[in-house]
């Protein structure tokens, strides 16, 4: 086996800054003041805050050590399915940090924000082109927020047509945020079972689509990493009853430059700039979930919209059918700069190649681990593949045991127990940015763990063994959180 990236050496213990504090220790030496001491205002006296007293080196080591306890794409492969944890070129960070962008103020007014508005306008145009839609709003702050915006547009569309509907169809392979977004708009979500091959059957949709159903939300590629090949036929069924099709485009990393969702019957789609278009994520944000719409829903886009007149750009609120506002100002601008830099530096061919490589890498993982882990849907996959722990059941080893053990081998675990349609799911998304050598190391690690399941299951059940803390009591962590540190 190749050497693994994981090691337990030279990972330091680190106490709190308060514990390291020594009275009188200081990070700088100031010359003795030649100004006479003056008493403080009475309101400001009292006990001085007990801040830690440390040297510069104490502080540098403290934060450097803490940073090394962390794991990110910059430290190793992060195969978290459904998240597209790919490497983000550092140039995109440099562009977003440029003074003109970083210091732009949303209250500066259109006249003083022409560069930023132009960037946002062009980004909307590029995203419209990539997805095959008419118009885009960049405002939503995340994928789920984009879903909410899309649902509110569908809601506004039915209201405008004079009759509100009460239901939304949601397949069992949809992301969990889909039913939540539908519920926030007051819709009841109706679950549809996927067919045996993991994708939706048109007949299942036809059987329940009616004139009280506002539409369907389809994640495509779906959360099994499979392309919903019947989407066009399904869209026709939904449209024939006056419904609309919401596309969850969080998995666009598999199909950029290959499939345009606007061409296959979808009416409204969100993207996750922080997944597909190169913004670092994990740790909760900020994100950006632009929404693209076709002709039917364009009048309902949130305001303000960016309008180009001759060579100038302005934010316009005068759209009578708009669903209203979804964000203060115009969303998370820094993320837009990163996405814009990414799209420009990749070009159309680069984006298409990225998707092809993402799909190739996932299929490579799928084929290499087939036989080691059970593969409930053995079909060519898109950008991720879903295994489970069926083969390890005889040794009483679970997906969680294997995921924990991967930490010892130096890998962030894949997504576990999602999607819900696969019992004990182990979902791997290698992304296009991993090299064959790194993917091979990951595959070797999973194979070694599968051997351990057979030969030393006791050890696996205690994993991780080499990390700073070993197996945590996750139930206690969820039920009795210690929020004081
Ligand atoms: C990540 C994801 C979402 C939600 O996106 P957030 O930006 O986390 O809100 C929705 N659908 C799918 C398929 C996803 O993978």
């Amino acid at each position: 086996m190749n050497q693994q990236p994981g090691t337990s050496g030279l990972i330091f213990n680190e106490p709190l800054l308060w514990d390291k504090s020594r009275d009188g220790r200081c990070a700088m030496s100031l010359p003795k003041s030649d100004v006479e001491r003056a008493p403080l205002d009475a309101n400001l006296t009292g006990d001085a805050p007990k801040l830690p007293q440390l040297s510069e080196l104490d502080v540098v080591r403290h934060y450097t050590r803490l940073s090394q306890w962390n794991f990110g794409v910059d430290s190793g492969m992060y195969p978290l399915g459904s998240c597209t944890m790919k490497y983000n070129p550092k140039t995109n960070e440099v562009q977003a940090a440029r003074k003109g962008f970083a210091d732009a103020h949303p209250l500066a007014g259109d006249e003083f924000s022409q560069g930023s508005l132009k960037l946002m306008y062009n980004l909307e145009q590029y995203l419209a082109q990539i997805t095959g839609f008419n118009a885009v709003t960049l405002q939503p702050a995340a994928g789920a927020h984009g879903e909410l915006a899309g649902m509110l547009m569908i809601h506004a569309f039915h209201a405008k047509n004079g009759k509100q509907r009460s239901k939304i169809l949601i397949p069992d392979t949809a992301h969990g945020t889909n039913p939540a977004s539908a519920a926030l708009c007051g819709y009841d979500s109706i679950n549809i079972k996927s067919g045996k091959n993991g994708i939706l059957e048109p007949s299942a949709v036809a059987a329940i689509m009616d004139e009280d159903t506002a539409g369907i939300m389809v994640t495509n590629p779906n959360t099994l990493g499979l392309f919903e090949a019947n989407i066009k036929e399904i869209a026709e069924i939904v449209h024939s009853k006056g419904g609309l099709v919401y596309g969850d485009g969080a998995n666009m990393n598999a199909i950029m430059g290959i499939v345009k969702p606007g061409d296959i019957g979808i009416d409204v789609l969100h993207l996750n700039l922080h997944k597909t278009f190169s913004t670092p994520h994990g740790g909760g944000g900020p994100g950006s979930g632009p929404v693209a719409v076709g002709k039917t829903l364009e009048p309902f886009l949130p305001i303000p919209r960016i309008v180009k007149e001759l060579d100038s750009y302005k934010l316009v609120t005068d759209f009578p059918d708009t669903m209203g506002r979804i964000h203060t100002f115009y969303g998370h601008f820094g993320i837009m700069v990163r996405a814009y830099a990414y799209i420009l530096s990749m070009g159309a061919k680069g984006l298409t190649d990225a998707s092809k490589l993402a799909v190739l890498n996932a299929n490579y993982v799928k084929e290499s681990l087939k036989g080691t882990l059970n593969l409930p849907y053995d079909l060519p996959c898109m950008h991720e593949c879903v295994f489970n722990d069926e083969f390890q059941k005889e040794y009483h080893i679970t997906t969680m045991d294997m995921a924990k053990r991967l930490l010892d081998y130096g890998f962030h675990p894949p997504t576990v127990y999602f999607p819900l349609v696969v019992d004990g799911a182990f979902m791997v998304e290698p992304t296009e940015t991993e090299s064959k050598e790194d993917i091979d190391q990951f595959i070797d690690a999973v194979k070694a763990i599968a051997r351990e399941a057979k030969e030393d299951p006791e050890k696996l059940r205690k994993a991780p063994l080499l990390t700073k803390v070993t197996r945590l009591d996750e139930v206690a962590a969820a039920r009795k959180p210690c929020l004081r540190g």
Side-chain angles (χ1 to χ4, degrees):
M1 193 173 69
N2 289 335
Q3 205 176 353
Q4 296 297 342
T7 164
S8 63
L10 285 185
I11 298 176
F12 295 92
N13 289 316
E14 185 60 20
L16 298 176
L17 286 179
W18 279 271
D19 298 337
K20 290 178 81 162
S21 172
R22 292 293 173 272
D23 285 351
R25 193 166 286 172
C26 180
M28 68 205 80
S29 323
L30 294 177
K32 209 169 161 47
S33 172
D34 56 1
V35 179
E36 237 177 86
R37 279 180 162 265
L40 279 178
D41 182 315
N43 294 330
L44 292 175
T45 53
D47 288 341
K50 287 209 170 6
L51 297 177
Q53 303 185 50
L54 300 150
S55 73
E56 179 175 324
L57 184 56
D58 288 337
V59 176
V60 167
R61 284 195 178 147
H62 180 76
Y63 287 107
T64 303
R65 287 174 179 178
L66 291 190
S67 78
Q68 289 166 345
W69 292 2
N70 210 347
F71 187 90
V73 174
D74 289 356
S75 26
M77 182 170 167
Y78 207 134
L80 202 56
S82 201
C83 291
T84 311
M85 304 299 283
K86 60 187 183 182
Y87 175 73
N88 308 290
K90 296 289 178 249
T91 178
N92 303 338
E93 296 299 316
V94 176
Q95 311 317 321
R98 281 185 190 284
K99 243 181 125 35
F101 291 137
D103 292 351
H105 195 286
L107 290 176
D110 297 352
E111 194 187 337
F112 297 107
S113 307
Q114 285 297 299
S116 306
L117 288 172
K118 181 176 179 181
L119 181 145
M120 292 191 284
Y121 181 88
N122 287 346
L123 178 59
E124 288 184 353
Q125 301 288 309
Y126 287 142
L127 295 177
Q129 205 182 330
I130 291 167
T131 53
F133 283 104
N134 284 56
V136 170
T137 174
L138 301 173
Q139 292 185 45
H145 199 206
E147 290 170 28
L148 177 63
M151 281 290 109
L152 287 167
M153 283 186 250
I154 290 178
H155 199 271
F157 166 85
H158 287 300
K160 168 98 180 169
N161 286 346
K163 186 177 172 298
Q164 197 45 264
R165 301 181 172 206
S166 73
K167 297 179 286 183
I168 290 278
L169 308 182
I170 303 189
D172 52 4
T173 52
H175 195 263
T177 47
N178 290 187
S181 302
L184 273 176
C185 291
Y187 289 123
D188 291 328
S189 41
I190 308 295
N191 186 43
I192 320 179
K193 264 190 158 2
S194 301
K196 271 202 293 298
N197 52 2
I199 62 169
L200 265 186
E201 302 285 354
S203 56
V205 177
I208 46 174
M209 181 64 206
D210 61 18
E211 285 174 7
D212 190 32
T213 302
I216 188 169
M217 288 184 97
V218 183
T219 303
N220 198 12
N222 69 25
T223 57
L224 286 170
L226 302 174
F227 188 75
E228 293 287 355
N230 303 319
I231 183 70
K232 243 179 153 164
E233 210 181 316
I234 289 166
E236 278 162 21
I237 293 166
V238 172
H239 288 149
S240 73
K241 302 271 179 174
L244 294 175
V245 181
Y246 185 94
D248 179 328
N251 293 335
M252 192 75 196
N253 208 49
I255 57 171
M256 283 185 294
I258 297 160
V259 177
K260 291 191 174 188
D263 294 348
I264 53 173
I266 291 168
D267 298 293
V268 46
L269 173 106
H270 83 260
L271 297 167
N272 296 52
L273 295 188
H274 49 287
K275 291 181 181 169
T276 315
F277 296 96
S278 181
T279 275
H281 63 126
S288 177
V291 176
V293 288
K295 280 214 165 58
T296 320
L297 286 177
E298 183 169 351
F300 303 96
L301 278 170
I303 50 166
R305 290 175 59 182
I306 305 166
V307 173
K308 180 178 180 187
E309 267 171 20
L310 298 173
D311 269 340
S312 74
Y313 302 83
K314 57 182 181 179
L315 290 171
V316 177
T317 53
D318 183 20
F319 291 94
D321 290 330
T322 177
M323 54 149 280
R325 287 181 184 268
I326 189 84
H327 201 286
T328 43
F329 303 118
Y330 207 79
H332 292 159
F333 179 63
I335 295 180
M336 299 170 200
V337 179
R338 291 175 176 88
Y340 189 64
Y342 179 67
I343 291 171
L344 283 182
S345 56
M346 294 290 278
K349 181 169 182 316
L351 292 179
T352 310
D353 286 349
S355 282
K356 287 182 180 168
L357 275 176
V359 171
L360 179 68
N361 285 351
N363 279 282
Y364 180 66
V365 170
K366 177 175 84 74
E367 288 303 311
S368 307
L369 287 179
K370 187 165 141 179
T372 300
L373 298 180
N374 181 46
L375 190 63
Y377 296 91
D378 187 3
L379 298 161
C381 63
M382 294 278 104
H383 59 309
E384 56 198 2
C385 50
V386 183
F387 302 94
N388 72 1
D389 52 9
E390 195 59 38
F391 294 168
Q392 283 70 37
K393 283 211 164 115
E394 59 174 310
Y395 315 113
H396 304 286
I397 288 298
T398 63
T399 286
M400 187 58 81
D401 297 326
M402 295 191 280
K404 296 287 186 192
R405 184 68 173 143
L406 267 171
L407 298 170
D408 287 336
Y409 283 84
F411 290 98
H412 192 286
T415 291
V416 294
Y417 301 100
F418 178 84
L420 302 178
V421 275
V422 172
D423 202 29
F426 182 101
M427 181 197 214
V428 183
E429 180 178 1
T431 83
E432 72 277 16
T433 56
E434 292 305 312
S435 67
K436 179 167 180 301
E437 291 72 24
D438 285 343
I439 297 176
D440 280 338
Q441 275 194 338
F442 173 78
I443 290 167
D444 283 348
V446 176
K447 286 184 173 167
I449 292 168
R451 273 196 302 279
E452 288 175 345
K454 235 185 266 181
E455 293 160 9
D456 198 355
E458 264 320 299
K459 179 157 130 199
L460 265 196
R461 279 192 280 275
K462 292 195 199 100
L465 304 165
L466 304 176
T467 44
K468 283 210 78 63
V469 288
T470 54
R471 183 81 64 110
L472 298 173
D473 181 347
E474 296 189 355
V475 175
R479 297 288 152 84
K480 295 182 196 159
C482 167
L483 303 176
R484 273 189 300 126

